[in-house]
Amino acid sequence: MQAMMTVTVLLLTVLWIGLTMGQIPNPNQYRFTLTIGGRAQERYAIDEPAGKMSRLWYSNDADEEFGGNQDIYVRDDARTYFFDFMSKPPGCIANRGGPYNRMNYWSNLIQSFGGEQKIYDELIFDPDCDGTCLTWKTEFNETYHHFRYVNRLYVKKAEQKPIKMVMRKYDLDTEKLLSTTVTRFVNWITGKVPDYEYDYPMNLTTCYKP
Ligand SMILES: *[C@@H]1O[C@H](CO)[C@@H](O)[C@H](O)[C@H]1NC(C)=O
Ligand SMILES: *[C@@H]1O[C@H](CO)[C@@H](O)[C@H](O)[C@H]1NC(C)=O
C-alpha cells in the first residue's frame, strides 16, 4: 500500500514536472527588445501587478529626428499616453483608459501558439539556446500566392527564456524555401520592472487630453 502510494506520487510528480516544463513561459512582469533581421524594432516593458506597460517602436527611416513612438499605460492615471516623435514638433495625447490589446506582446504571442499550457512540439539543439531549445510550431498556407509559412518559437530550456522566432516561407507547390525571417527577443528579463522604463519622454502638461 505504502509502495503504491509512493509510486503514484512519483508518477504524478513526473507528470507535473513534464507539464510544467512543457509550458510556454507566461510571466506578468517582463521586458525585452524585439529585433527583426538584426534590427531593433520595438521595446516592451510590461508590469501587470504594477499596472504599467510601455511599448516603444522605432521608425524605419534613417532620419534621427524622427526616432519613433511610445505608448505608456498607467493604471493609476487611467490613461494610455501616446508620445509621437515622428511628427514635427513632437506631440503627445493622453488617451483615457487602456491598455489596448497589442501592448501585451508576449501574452498575445503565446495565444497564437496555442496558449501557455501547450506542450512543446520538438526539442532542438541550437547555439542560441546554449544547448537545448523547446520549440512550438504553427503553420498556415496562403493559397492565393501559393506560399506556405512555418513559424517556430524557441525557448531556452534551461532558463525557460524566450530566445527567437523563425518564420520560413516556402513555395506551396515546389516546397522550395523562399525566405527566412528571424525575430529575436533580446535582453529578456522577468521580475519587477524598474520605473525608468515608464519615464515620460515629454512633459505631460503639453499632452492633448481628449
Ligand atoms: C499546407 O499545404 C501542404 C502541402 O499541400 C499540406 O501538406 C499541409 O497540410 C497544409 N497545411 C495546412 C495548415 O493547411
Ligand atoms: C511641465 O510644464 C509645466 C508648465 O509649463 C511646469 O510648470 C512643470 O514644472 C513642468 N514639469 C516638468 C517635470 O518639467
Side-chain angles (χ1 to χ4, degrees), residues 109-164:
L109 183 136
I110 293 173
Q111 288 313 312
S112 75
F113 278 91
E116 64 175 300
Q117 298 304 328
K118 179 96 191 304
I119 306 296
Y120 64 88
D121 291 308
E122 211 179 326
L123 288 169
I124 293 182
F125 205 68
D126 187 298
D128 286 341
C129 295
D130 303 317
T132 321
C133 307
L134 304 173
T135 68
W136 286 261
K137 195 172 85 168
T138 57
E139 57 172 287
F140 65 94
N141 292 335
E142 213 249 78
T143 43
Y144 183 76
H145 288 110
H146 286 258
F147 293 146
R148 176 164 169 251
Y149 293 92
V150 178
N151 200 15
R152 204 186 284 274
L153 174 68
Y154 292 70
V155 169
K156 181 173 176 176
K157 184 171 182 291
E159 294 168 72
Q160 292 273 293
K161 181 177 168 180
I163 300 294
K164 64 182 175 182

Side-chain angles (χ1 to χ4, degrees), residues 20 25 30 43 101 105 146 165 168 188:
T20 310
Y30 64 86
R43 173 148 185 92
N101 199 31
Y105 177 95
H146 286 258
M165 197 162 59
R168 292 203 165 83
W188 170 274

Side-chain angles (χ1 to χ4, degrees), residues 15-186:
L15 255 176
W16 181 79
I17 290 171
L19 281 173
T20 310
M21 298 300 283
Q23 291 172 0
I24 306 181
N26 189 17
N28 59 10
Q29 296 175 307
Y30 64 86
R31 51 200 155 116
F32 69 93
T33 297
L34 185 149
T35 72
I36 299 176
R39 202 191 146 105
Q41 303 279 338
E42 296 178 73
R43 173 148 185 92
Y44 289 88
I46 307 296
D47 195 326
E48 287 178 37
K52 289 185 175 184
M53 296 186 172
S54 165
R55 170 178 179 249
L56 189 151
W57 62 106
Y58 304 101
S59 85
N60 280 320
D61 69 52
D63 191 340
E64 283 179 9
E65 260 194 281
F66 300 93
N69 291 335
Q70 186 175 15
D71 276 319
I72 297 179
Y73 165 70
V74 180
R75 185 173 56 208
D76 285 351
D77 293 5
R79 299 265 182 193
T80 305
Y81 303 98
F82 169 62
F83 301 97
D84 183 0
F85 288 94
M86 293 202 226
S87 69
K88 206 165 190 161
C92 77
I93 304 172
N95 287 300
R96 277 177 210 285
Y100 65 95
N101 199 31
R102 273 194 68 196
M103 276 184 92
N104 205 339
Y105 177 95
W106 188 254
S107 150
N108 291 333
L109 183 136
I110 293 173
Q111 288 313 312
S112 75
F113 278 91
E116 64 175 300
Q117 298 304 328
K118 179 96 191 304
I119 306 296
Y120 64 88
D121 291 308
E122 211 179 326
L123 288 169
I124 293 182
F125 205 68
D126 187 298
D128 286 341
C129 295
D130 303 317
T132 321
C133 307
L134 304 173
T135 68
W136 286 261
K137 195 172 85 168
T138 57
E139 57 172 287
F140 65 94
N141 292 335
E142 213 249 78
T143 43
Y144 183 76
H145 288 110
H146 286 258
F147 293 146
R148 176 164 169 251
Y149 293 92
V150 178
N151 200 15
R152 204 186 284 274
L153 174 68
Y154 292 70
V155 169
K156 181 173 176 176
K157 184 171 182 291
E159 294 168 72
Q160 292 273 293
K161 181 177 168 180
I163 300 294
K164 64 182 175 182
M165 197 162 59
V166 179
M167 165 87 88
R168 292 203 165 83
K169 183 169 124 182
Y170 299 91
D171 183 309
L172 192 52
D173 307 315
T174 66
E175 293 187 16
K176 184 173 177 274
L177 178 64
L178 299 175
S179 68
T180 303
T181 306
V182 182
T183 301
R184 289 182 190 276
F185 313 111
V186 178

